[in-house]
Amino acid sequence: MAPQEFGELFHQSMRAMVKFDYIVVFAYRGNERPIDIYSTFDVDEHVIFVSMYQAGPYLLDPFYHTARAPKPGVWRMRELAPDRFFSSEYYRTYYVQTGLAEEVGFFVPVEAGITIVLSLMRRGETGYFPAQELALLRKADPLVATLVRQYCSGLGHLFDAAVAKQGRGRRKVQLNAADTVWRDLNLTDREAAIIELVLQGHSSESIGLRLNITTGTVKVHRRNVYRKLGISSQTQLLSIYLKKLNEH
């Protein structure tokens, strides 16, 4: 069974269990651009949910970071999101364009650092997944994971082909993601770590806990970065970040 056929099977199976508006299945490997395996979007929706996402915003997505961990299981977006995610510039400038009320994902590590994420999405008018539906999805997780590993294995060649198409070696592609952006902007490793967490939606308090430094130190680093880049807002920071990503 091809991944596309599996996507249709997954789609129909989920329809029999819960209510949702969209499905998208992404494969993630390291910090490489995720590959879309299956989705139910129309042409315009595909631009927002897939094309725009793959162009750079995926690097700030809680689902992407969970896939890299990896953290198998069924997770709500709000269970994974940083404490300031829903007030972050990433959320305001990109995520709100999706019109989603909630996103729930099956996270299935498969092979060679690849994780498949099968997302069920509900728009604002549909509302959140009720607790009983989330419980059903979690009961289905072992079966879904088994099927994913059976029918969605051997995807490494898709990532390798994407790398070859760009005419670069895999190592260089990895460096041309977030790491190279910070290097181009002349940020120190500490500054880069803090600013990346800021863009993901972490508060200064959350960043301090993650990096084992004081909240005051986090704020000093943020001010230094803003002064170094000649900016005064997270809006400008995100704009610079995405612009630099698209240059590589």
Side-chain angles (χ1 to χ4, degrees):
M1 183 183 297
Q4 181 71 19
E5 293 176 303
F6 169 74
E8 292 291 347
L9 174 62
F10 176 71
H11 185 184
Q12 297 307 316
S13 299
M14 292 299 103
R15 279 281 180 221
M17 295 175 57
V18 299
K19 181 179 180 180
F20 56 87
D21 295 302
Y22 309 119
I23 281 180
V24 64
V25 181
F26 277 110
Y28 295 89
R29 185 174 78 174
N31 61 9
E32 295 174 65
R33 184 171 294 182
I35 293 173
D36 57 311
I37 296 174
Y38 174 83
S39 70
T40 59
F41 305 125
D42 65 24
V43 174
D44 292 335
E45 292 161 349
H46 192 275
V47 170
I48 295 172
F49 285 93
V50 178
S51 301
M52 288 177 59
Y53 177 75
Q54 291 172 320
Y58 74 90
L59 289 162
L60 304 176
D61 180 17
F63 273 26
Y64 159 75
H65 289 281
T66 302
R68 290 188 69 190
K71 190 175 180 180
V74 176
W75 300 100
R76 294 178 188 262
M77 173 67 79
R78 64 176 183 267
E79 292 174 324
L80 304 173
D83 58 342
R84 297 287 175 81
F85 176 75
F86 295 101
S87 61
S88 68
E89 197 60 34
Y90 165 76
Y91 180 82
R92 290 196 296 264
T93 60
Y94 170 72
Y95 200 83
V96 293
Q97 295 184 62
T98 67
L100 296 180
E102 184 162 62
E103 184 174 359
V104 172
F106 290 84
F107 290 75
V108 186
V110 286
E111 61 190 333
I114 297 174
T115 296
I116 306 296
V117 181
L118 308 95
S119 295
L120 305 180
M121 302 171 168
R122 294 179 67 152
R123 292 187 59 82
E125 56 269 27
T126 309
Y128 295 129
F129 285 88
Q132 62 270 26
E133 291 193 358
L134 186 64
L136 282 175
L137 294 176
R138 286 184 167 145
K139 286 182 180 179
D141 181 49
L143 176 59
V144 171
T146 297
L147 293 173
V148 168
R149 293 188 181 105
Q150 181 176 353
Y151 295 114
C152 295
S153 61
L155 297 179
H157 71 283
L158 296 179
F159 287 97
D160 295 339
V163 169
K165 184 176 180 180
Q166 293 171 4
R168 308 185 182 104
R170 185 180 171 194
R171 176 64 178 163
K172 189 172 182 182
V173 170
Q174 289 180 326
L175 290 176
N176 277 344
D179 293 342
T180 299
V181 170
W182 305 134
R183 205 161 299 161
D184 288 350
L185 295 174
N186 296 316
L187 301 189
T188 67
D189 289 344
R190 176 63 84 186
E191 289 170 343
I194 288 172
I195 291 305
E196 185 166 332
L197 289 170
V198 167
L199 288 174
Q200 290 172 28
H202 288 273
S203 65
S204 294
E205 293 78 8
S206 174
I207 294 170
L209 290 172
R210 289 175 68 95
L211 301 182
N212 196 30
I213 57 178
T214 68
T215 300
T217 299
V218 173
K219 291 179 178 178
V220 168
H221 280 299
R222 289 182 65 170
R223 286 197 297 270
N224 287 341
V225 170
Y226 279 32
R227 182 170 61 251
K228 186 182 288 188
L229 299 181
I231 61 176
S232 59
S233 70
Q234 194 180 137
T235 301
Q236 293 170 302
L237 178 63
L238 181 62
S239 178
I240 289 173
Y241 179 72
L242 294 178
K243 179 181 178 181
K244 284 289 183 181
L245 278 175
N246 288 325
E247 290 177 357
H248 293 287

